[in-house]
Amino acid sequence: MSLSTAELDAIYLTLALAAITTVLLLILGTPLAWWLARQRAQWPALIEAIVAMPLILPPTVLGFYLLLLFAPDTALGRAWEGLTGSQLAFSFSALVIGSVIYSLPFVVQPLQAAFQRVPARLLDTAATLGASPLDQFRSVAAPLCRRSFVTAASLGFAHTVGEFGVVLMIGGNIPGETQVLSIALYDYVESLRFAEAHRLAAGLVVFSLVLLFALYRRDRRDSWRIRA
Amino acid sequence: MSLSTAELDAIYLTLALAAITTVLLLILGTPLAWWLARQRAQWPALIEAIVAMPLILPPTVLGFYLLLLFAPDTALGRAWEGLTGSQLAFSFSALVIGSVIYSLPFVVQPLQAAFQRVPARLLDTAATLGASPLDQFRSVAAPLCRRSFVTAASLGFAHTVGEFGVVLMIGGNIPGETQVLSIALYDYVESLRFAEAHRLAAGLVVFSLVLLFALYRRDRRDSWRIRA
Amino acid sequence: RVAVAANFRATLEAINRQFEHNTGQPVVVSSASTGVLANQILHGAPFDIFFAADRQTVFKLAAADTGPRRGEPFCYAIGSLVLVGGDGRLAQLGDPGLSLAVANPATAPYGAAAMQVLARPEFSQGGGRKLLRAANVVQAYQFWHSGAAELALLPRALAPAGTPVPGHWHLPLEQFALTLRPQAAHPALHSYLNWIRSDTVRALISEAGYRPCP
Amino acid sequence: MSGLSLQLDCAAGEQFRLQLACELPATGITAIYGPSGSGKSTLLDCIAGLRRAAADSEIRFRGEYWQRPRLFVPPWQRRTAYVFQDARLFPHLNVEQNLHYALRRRHRDRGVSLAQVVSWLQLDDLLAQHPASLSAGQAQRVAIARALLSAPELMLLDEPLANLDHAASQQIIGQLQQLNTDLELPMLYVSHDIEEVSQLADQLVLLEQGRLAAQGSLLDLCSRLDTRLSREDQAAAIVVGTTAHHDARFSLTELDVEGQPLLLAGPRLAPGQLRRLRIPARDVSVCRQRPTDSSILNILPVTLSDMLEEGPSRVLLRLALGSQFLLARITRKSAAHLQLQVGDRLYAQIKSAALLMEPVPEDG
Amino acid sequence: MSGLSLQLDCAAGEQFRLQLACELPATGITAIYGPSGSGKSTLLDCIAGLRRAAADSEIRFRGEYWQRPRLFVPPWQRRTAYVFQDARLFPHLNVEQNLHYALRRRHRDRGVSLAQVVSWLQLDDLLAQHPASLSAGQAQRVAIARALLSAPELMLLDEPLANLDHAASQQIIGQLQQLNTDLELPMLYVSHDIEEVSQLADQLVLLEQGRLAAQGSLLDLCSRLDTRLSREDQAAAIVVGTTAHHDARFSLTELDVEGQPLLLAGPRLAPGQLRRLRIPARDVSVCRQRPTDSSILNILPVTLSDMLEEGPSRVLLRLALGSQFLLARITRKSAAHLQLQVGDRLYAQIKSAALLMEPVPEDG
Ligand SMILES: Nc1ncnc2c1ncn2[C@@H]1O[C@H](COP(=O)(O)OP(=O)(O)OP(=O)(O)O)[C@@H](O)[C@H]1O
Ligand SMILES: Nc1ncnc2c1ncn2[C@@H]1O[C@H](COP(=O)(O)OP(=O)(O)OP(=O)(O)O)[C@@H](O)[C@H]1O
Ligand SMILES: [Mg+2]
Ligand SMILES: [Mg+2]
């Protein structure tokens, strides 16, 4: 199975986008989830609901609103252009931002659920041994929730790979720049080129299957050692 | 804000679809997640990876493959028609099946991560008190993982509400039958009727926000009582 | 039941309103992109007639022998292209500094036509421009409408105020329709087809920015 | 019908292996005694079905197999109740709900009621609390209550009193003994507190590094010099006597032990009942002549039947009192001074003795 | 610089409230003793900073405020180490990693080394095991090791020996005492085992229902008849003596207590050292004449300074030995028989006494 340059470009872009997005999601989602899990008050439930919002809007519609937000004549668009010298809309950065917003709930929610079940007793124990709150998180909570990190990262990654509506809308489908795999695949289906579509879909599925299988298998091995 | 009949139809369909899908997701996803969480072997990692697959394919592409599967001339399509007397593709049932497949990972993964952290000690304790495995699950594991059920259900529900690519493909956008809210919204944006789109999107967001806020707030109140 | 390419939906709804008013027959409209609809039709979608945005798809469908017996494809409108944005001059198409939104040439006929226009030698200096391929013409419109793209090549139906692009700069944008059931069995379908071919409808179509078929 | 017969081989990790074969009675209280890490909890886990012993192991309770080759009765069908070393209350249920959990799933209809258990273990004030808010001792009491409520046919207790103060554990010990006889509920009781063990147990199983070191009735094992028990600081003999008359003025009960009177502090007991007494070795001294003006009331004529040197400074004596035996731990210096020889007739002065069925300490 | 000064008000739930004000020395071992549910763990939690006492509470350690109005030093800056009642090992780390966890975050540089702690607590074989596979006693030993490795300035121990057998806990008690003096590491030690407490503690804090019932040096509190301690079954007096010569033949050490010789079994001790002895009340009997042919070696002349009736059958005697006191528990019948009167000169026969610094039981 040989791939065209356009396809290779799209694969590369997809992987880069998914990887960067996943990393950003974990960086942003982890503290947010931790904060939400440890707040006793009721009002953070509002933040939780807001985080879940991107799920509710159809991707293209969400994309449309994001596009309105990113356009060069909006505050954000102007600020970005002032800072970086280039336009935000239809850039790779825009794709990353859009993907992060769209996939945030998939990362925050499983992490929050996991963090809520970290026994306070163990964090207290760490504190008496001299661990600061950050250290407590790093050395106790995070390792105890490793399976949920795997879940969060793989949901985030997979969803970014498969994401399409938002990306199409704010990316502009520029080959080598914002044309990701899902759009290429979509194009094939749209133009009734089924053979190419099947080939690309099969490749994507096999690749992801291998990747996720390896990830989950490793996690299984490690987590059983601990639970034994 | 008054709604047209078509919009009311779409809202009703959406809620019905999301509710039925969420219920089915929990019914199917819970035992699957439990099984995955309690299996010590390595090979179930493959099942985990397969469950995550629907995420990888762009929704329309996934929808396309589901369409191939549901078409009246396939085995499944024929069997369905034989059983129910009506066509599967472009029916509400097809939407439900498609949504369940598409949202399965959002339910299975958080539940599995949670189930893996239920202490075996507590299940053993329940067993010595006479609880069968099913009873152990019901009376110990499930209540301990309630936050993850909330997460799973709300991700599944929200995603079904916002889902669009799959539904459009296998549902056929038929008003009153398979035209759900997300598609109606999409139609408005597509036909440049932005005012209506904004109105519908705002309604959708506010409604979901209120629903999720109530859900999360309740969960907060209950879970802190237990953790205190 | 009518399946219609998204770009023609608004026009068709106006046409249907009159038909419903005249006959009392309800018409149910489903819209999506031409490709999605074609896929659905190939797999048993319960539509009676399909208004595509191009010529190719309809002929492919007619050639495929799955499904119930289909009618002959017929042309119902010819689209034309306009340029929006900037100062309105066509010469801007040669400016590499201006971003331009078009529909995806791989899937949308207006996108393909736009590419043919851009391929003309007078616009070759614009080769380095930022070319935004929207999924369809509507999205191309949105790109321009949101201000994210400076120029867009769009159907006249979407942007009546745009600067027309000479029709001979690209292959004709014929839009074809296809009946998906034998007409004989559906009297309503028969009368609907007659209505579509009526002068009233032709007038409506050209009002919406299309040219009538020959 | 017999009792509980075990033939176990169960590896835990690479280094530890529990291997034993024994028959235990299905009545009374059997103590499982041994140092930390000797496999006591592992043994209970195997009996409860929470750990799976190797395939050729056998567990039979009252004639019914719980495990044998190609058969493994799952824990929820074994009709045992288990009080774990850590209380293991369900964190999502409050105390009352924890108790109801057991009640709703009880193994048989006969059994104690919620109200009884709550009053025995003084849980009234705790019913609404969640486990996380209980003190360790309170949690243990709730765990015992929960196990009792499941109306088991065999009760497994793993150091249930480790976190309780002396007064509270004395009280619970009394209640467990009561239940044991009233409900005919056999108990396996893990403990490393020999005082607790000898107060409670009828039978004793001594574990050492996963093996059976000794097994038998408490009375036998306690007065032998060759087991680990006699080497304990708290070594004690157990003797049996019959209650004779009660001295109301000083609130003392006289026991007849092998024809000799023994006075015990404590409430009135009906005459003619068999009672067990625990007499710690370090509370027994010997002399050649009967002292007269001492505060020690109990002075019994005995015969020295055995002597065992313990380290450089101490000697353990086994003293025959009729057909029963006392233990006495004295210094080697005293032994030399008194020129003790096996066969000597001596007087044993008993500073304190504890009546086991009604655990009230006593002194002379 | 002073010690640990507390002024606490801490509500736990609706029903329980810990309220006390006291000054504790920042040296030696202070035992916190009280029945289950009296607030012992709550007190340690407040000192460690894991529970927040009411805003007007004050905690000061060596002159430094850990809490006072508008100041709350977080637990990780308090330089305490806490051995919890449940071991609370980190389940995702094996034993060695649990120890390293403390080592890497130690509160100061001075402190014991990993190798030392591992050998003291005999953890060599356990280093690779995960906490879930440890027996309860093993887990407790690891928890003690981990706390020691964090090199604290104040050690909080909550019933650290509840799950250990007698031999193991004797050994650990010896080591804790050693560490306490060698490292000048003050300890607060919660226990409801009065034997443990009187072996270890210099100071005693008695808690009852969240209030301070009594506080003072172990020696004082133990020989008083008016505290809860004397009502315990295991009531005991603590006396101080100076080591005199050692009898190598019988391996006995003579202690000089108020001019009287007292013989103890055990290893050689250099002469002239101050040592504490614990003498349980129930191991002391009295007589009017000195017996001569008894195995009881220690017979001391005393004066009866106080008597307390305990229930219908027993009497607790306070016996003056020079400026110190012994306790003796005898039956009321004996008291009547001997016609005891305050001021009588008697002989106390001591059946057993335990040297506290080197805990070897001894008998006469
Ligand atoms: N998975 C395992 N891997 C290695 N060793 C194990 C494992 N499980 C149990 N052990 C070992 O088995 C031995 C017996 O443990 P068990 O809990 O039965 O002891 P115990 O007699 O109950 O001790 P304690 O009185 O301290 O509770 C211990 O040495 C323990 O370390
Ligand atoms: N959140 C709470 N709600 C209600 N009661 C509480 C709460 N937290 C603690 N208590 C009560 O506070 C009291 C003191 O508990 P603490 O753990 O300090 O006792 P303790 O002296 O350590 O007992 P033990 O010896 O059994 O460990 C207990 O009666 C307990 O039930
Ligand atoms: Mg154990
Ligand atoms: Mg406590």
Side-chain angles (χ1 to χ4, degrees), chain A residues 228, chain D residues 11-18 34-43 45 51 85 158-159 190 192 207, chain E residues 126 129-130 132-139 141 163-165:
Chain D
E14 279 101 58
Q15 287 166 33
F16 182 80
R17 191 161 167 199
L18 178 74
S36 171
S38 57
K40 306 182 294 296
S41 303
T42 308
L43 174 59
D45 283 355
R51 252 177 222 259
Q85 209 161 357
D158 198 351
E159 306 200 24
V190 167
H192 34 56
L207 282 186
Chain E
L126 306 177
Q129 268 177 244
H130 269 270
S133 73
L134 296 177
S135 85
Q138 290 166 343
R141 272 153 49 205
N163 284 302
L164 285 166
D165 51 296

Side-chain angles (χ1 to χ4, degrees), chain D residues 85-102:
Chain D
Q85 209 161 357
D86 45 340
R88 302 205 192 174
L89 302 179
F90 298 121
H92 58 294
L93 304 177
N94 69 18
V95 169
E96 189 167 8
Q97 290 164 334
N98 264 282
L99 298 182
H100 271 294
Y101 191 98

Side-chain angles (χ1 to χ4, degrees), chain E residues 125-166:
Chain E
D125 293 343
L126 306 177
L127 288 178
Q129 268 177 244
H130 269 270
S133 73
L134 296 177
S135 85
Q138 290 166 343
Q140 249 175 351
R141 272 153 49 205
V142 176
I144 296 172
R146 187 177 63 175
L148 287 175
L149 282 175
S150 82
E153 293 181 20
L154 174 64
M155 186 91 174
L156 308 170
L157 300 115
D158 197 350
E159 306 201 24
L161 308 178
N163 284 302
L164 285 166
D165 51 296
H166 191 75

